[in-house]
Amino acid sequence: MINKQKAWFNQAEWKIQDAVKEAITTIKEHLSEFGNIHNIDMEDLLFGLYLDEDDYGVAATYAKIEIYCTGELLVTLSDGHTIYEADLTANTVIHILTIIKEQYGTYSKPL
């Protein structure tokens, strides 16, 4: 029974990882077409999370979502902290999708 559950957990993890990769690709395509997102105003509905240099948890609202000159997706939080593409979590990607879907920010290119 334990091996069956472990196999299911592995499959679930892989599916989530694949969905996150696909979402990041779609987000980058969207930003390439419409521009980076800045002036994100969600009235404190969603927070990006990270660990500071002392390993304390920090939460800050989203400020900017952009494609950097290297082609990497970057998320800047309201406190100036940057979350790099390699460090994006499934929750952060869901937040980005919500920001895009609900049009919480201003695009650098006119829509």
Side-chain angles (χ1 to χ4, degrees):
M1 183 70 166
I2 292 175
N3 285 337
K4 186 176 181 180
Q5 286 179 335
K6 186 175 180 180
W8 186 91
F9 290 141
N10 283 336
Q11 285 186 327
E13 184 178 354
W14 295 328
K15 287 178 183 178
I16 292 167
Q17 289 173 350
D18 287 344
V20 167
K21 287 177 189 175
E22 182 179 346
I24 288 171
T25 299
T26 302
I27 291 164
K28 289 166 76 172
E29 289 170 355
H30 179 82
L31 296 177
S32 291
E33 183 175 350
F34 296 106
N36 297 326
I37 303 172
H38 55 95
N39 297 331
I40 298 170
D41 182 14
M42 302 179 308
E43 299 177 10
D44 297 336
L45 292 174
L46 300 172
F47 295 88
L49 306 172
Y50 66 95
L51 296 176
D52 68 11
E53 53 276 346
D54 296 320
D55 287 334
Y56 289 103
V58 179
T61 56
Y62 294 91
K64 188 174 186 180
I65 302 166
E66 65 182 317
I67 297 178
Y68 194 59
C69 61
T70 61
E72 181 180 21
L73 182 62
L74 299 181
V75 176
T76 305
L77 302 178
S78 59
D79 64 359
H81 181 81
T82 300
I83 303 174
Y84 296 90
E85 183 174 323
D87 298 323
L88 292 174
T89 65
N91 272 351
T92 304
V93 171
I94 290 169
H95 290 172
I96 295 168
L97 294 172
T98 300
I99 290 166
I100 291 170
K101 180 179 67 174
E102 300 297 332
Q103 300 178 349
Y104 284 132
T106 304
Y107 285 90
S108 58
K109 293 180 186 175
L111 290 178

